[in-house]
Amino acid sequence: MSIVGVVDVLRGKPHNPVGPDGRMALADHFRELRARLIRSALILVVLFLVAIFFYDQLLELVQHPYNEAQQQLKGKTSTVAVVNDATGGLLLQMKLCGVVALIAASPYWLYQIWAFVVPGLHPNEKKYTRMFAAVAGPLFIAGVALGYYVLPKGLQVLISFTPNGVTNLIDFSNYFSFLMRMLLVFGIAMEIPLFVLLLNLAGVVSGAAIGRARPWIVVGTMVFAAVATPSTDPFSMLMLGIPMLILFMLSEIAARILDRIRGRGAHRPDATDQWADDQASPL
């Protein structure tokens, strides 16, 4: 294939006329999807190579919560991080650099997904997706940062269950997977109130309905925080549950303000209340 052909594949330019509403032929949709996937893959490869160059710094960043937990244990429990098998170090390096490349490239490949879907959305739906894209990223990063801050305390509690006279060997590959799951849980948890607000913007749920469900939201949030955090200490649970509750309260306030602006007050029944009235009313 010539250089011109490679450029044409990467551009994914439609070969047929595009309609005014963004409609394209099915072959052009597949051509565009192929181009976006290839471009995303190339960005991932480049960032993967960059991550390998900074591997030592990245490894130190990953090790920090474990080292901090060791210091908090103050020698009461013996624990050592180990790498199993001859290929363990190589697999750990590939996994770490791959995850870092995926996270670093997320703005690009998320945009590619959004740009592929946008032509099929209505103008109102496009406005919601832009709003979600602008707020979701910072919220997710804030949740990941909070999880990284809480993780040493959780590790300390978990390792402290090791019996006296027994050394706790931490498989570093499993520890890295545990670290990623922990950060992912905190990041996604921060997005839940945003989804509630988007449901209000879409007219699915009103601010009054959120207010009526507030006691259940508080209970459900704390139960979710208790289950999602890996340690048994209340500190980690509260560090996840309290920010979520604050965001829920802010989303309720914003939903009530939006309802008033659009003239949809608390007197207007939401979809759930209307469905219950329909079921109770005679034919």
Side-chain angles (χ1 to χ4, degrees):
M1 182 181 291
S2 63
I3 297 178
V4 176
V6 172
V7 173
D8 185 62
V9 170
L10 291 175
R11 290 179 61 189
K13 188 177 180 179
H15 291 181
N16 301 291
V18 180
D21 55 352
R23 291 187 179 182
M24 293 189 298
L26 181 60
D28 288 334
H29 274 297
F30 283 117
R31 194 173 290 110
E32 179 190 5
L33 178 62
R34 179 185 63 183
R36 294 187 185 279
L37 289 175
I38 292 175
R39 292 200 299 266
S40 299
L42 290 176
I43 293 294
L44 283 173
V45 171
V46 171
L47 291 176
F48 179 82
L49 296 176
V50 173
I52 290 179
F53 182 77
F54 292 100
Y55 173 69
D56 292 336
Q57 292 83 351
L58 293 172
L59 184 62
E60 183 179 352
L61 186 67
V62 170
Q63 283 179 313
H64 175 74
Y66 173 73
N67 294 335
E68 190 73 18
Q70 274 187 318
Q71 293 179 5
Q72 293 177 5
L73 287 169
K74 299 178 180 178
K76 297 177 181 178
T77 303
S78 176
T79 175
V80 179
V82 298
V83 175
N84 293 321
D85 302 326
T87 60
L90 176 62
L91 293 177
L92 174 63
Q93 184 173 3
M94 296 296 103
K95 183 187 295 186
L96 175 57
C97 294
V99 170
V100 170
L102 188 65
I103 295 174
S106 59
Y108 183 81
W109 56 261
L110 285 173
Y111 167 77
Q112 294 300 321
I113 295 174
W114 181 78
F116 181 74
V117 175
V118 158
L121 297 178
H122 298 292
N124 198 36
E125 294 171 332
K126 291 181 182 179
K127 179 179 67 175
Y128 293 154
T129 57
R130 292 191 189 99
M131 185 182 305
F132 177 81
V135 180
L139 271 180
F140 184 82
I141 293 174
V144 168
L146 180 62
Y148 189 81
Y149 172 76
V150 173
L151 187 60
K153 181 64 177 178
L155 284 172
Q156 176 201 350
V157 173
L158 292 174
I159 296 174
S160 65
F161 284 103
T162 304
N164 293 331
V166 177
T167 300
N168 189 310
L169 299 179
I170 303 292
D171 183 275
F172 207 85
S173 181
N174 293 336
Y175 161 74
F176 178 71
S177 300
F178 169 80
L179 173 69
M180 291 296 104
R181 286 197 302 270
M182 180 76 169
L183 300 184
L184 187 63
V185 164
F186 272 78
I188 293 177
M190 294 297 105
E191 304 286 350
I192 296 176
L194 177 61
F195 281 107
V196 174
L197 185 57
L198 287 177
L199 290 176
N200 174 262
L201 289 171
V204 177
V205 62
S206 66
I210 299 174
R212 288 193 296 271
R214 191 184 306 124
W216 295 104
I217 290 175
V218 173
V219 174
T221 299
M222 299 312 294
V223 170
F224 171 81
V227 174
T229 49
S231 63
T232 57
D233 66 295
F235 175 78
S236 300
M237 181 189 74
L238 293 175
M239 287 298 292
L240 177 60
I242 291 177
M244 285 186 65
L245 289 177
I246 294 174
L247 289 174
F248 267 119
M249 292 178 185
L250 293 177
S251 63
E252 179 188 344
I253 294 172
R256 289 181 181 272
I257 294 174
L258 290 172
D259 287 344
R260 289 186 180 181
I261 293 175
R262 294 178 299 183
R264 188 177 68 186
H267 64 277
R268 179 177 175 180
D270 53 55
T272 305
D273 295 338
Q274 186 65 47
W275 179 84
D277 293 340
D278 293 340
Q279 296 299 317
S281 61
L283 296 175

